[in-house]
Amino acid sequence: AGRTMADCAKGEPAAAKQTSSKDTSDDVEGQWSCSACTFMNAAGIAACEMCSTPHPDSGGVNSDELAKQDEALAKALAESEEWHATEQDTEVKFSQAVDGAIAESLDPWKQAENEWAAVEMRQQGAQAKENRPRV
């Protein structure tokens, strides 16, 4: 019986039962079971994805390499979060602009102002034609 992912995330040690590398490497073809938390990991992964326990056949994991990977993942996550925040902000601004334009187009006072401005422009154009010297 395995432990839940929540147990693994808490970092709680597995039961005292020890497994041999044979037990951990061949549970399911292409996967290996972590000796610390029993999580089934994909073949080729050097450490458990849940608790970071090294694969028994990997000869250990370089902690400096794991630190570099963690740093790179943290940077990628921060960049992704920043991009999503920018996208969300852009969507909100666009939505507000569209909502404002719709509201403005439906406002009867704004419609009257726009119509009056159009009338004034036509009148100014007509006056300009009348004031032009004739040739």
Side-chain angles (χ1 to χ4, degrees):
R3 297 175 45 201
T4 65
M5 288 173 56
D7 294 334
C8 293
K10 290 179 191 173
E12 296 175 359
K17 176 186 168 194
Q18 295 292 323
T19 58
S20 70
S21 70
K22 181 177 187 255
D23 292 338
T24 60
S25 21
D26 294 329
D27 288 343
V28 175
E29 190 173 317
Q31 295 183 334
W32 61 274
S33 175
C34 176
S35 62
C37 71
T38 70
F39 182 76
M40 294 301 293
N41 293 280
I45 296 186
C48 177
E49 293 181 277
M50 286 295 141
C51 69
S52 300
T53 299
H55 186 288
D57 296 335
S58 70
V61 176
N62 183 340
S63 61
D64 291 337
E65 185 62 32
L66 285 177
K68 287 178 187 177
Q69 290 175 0
D70 285 347
E71 186 177 317
L73 288 172
K75 182 180 178 184
L77 177 62
E79 290 172 356
S80 175
E81 288 173 345
E82 182 180 334
W83 182 83
H84 284 290
T86 302
E87 284 296 306
Q88 186 176 17
D89 187 47
T90 301
E91 288 176 11
V92 167
K93 287 179 181 177
F94 178 76
S95 178
Q96 290 171 341
V98 168
D99 291 347
I102 291 171
E104 187 175 297
S105 71
L106 298 176
D107 180 7
W109 289 106
K110 192 63 177 172
Q111 288 175 350
E113 288 175 0
N114 290 341
E115 289 173 19
W116 184 254
V119 167
E120 287 179 332
M121 287 177 58
R122 282 194 297 272
Q123 289 175 346
Q124 289 172 356
Q127 286 177 353
K129 273 186 177 179
E130 290 176 10
N131 292 338
R132 266 194 247 153
R134 297 181 188 228
V135 181

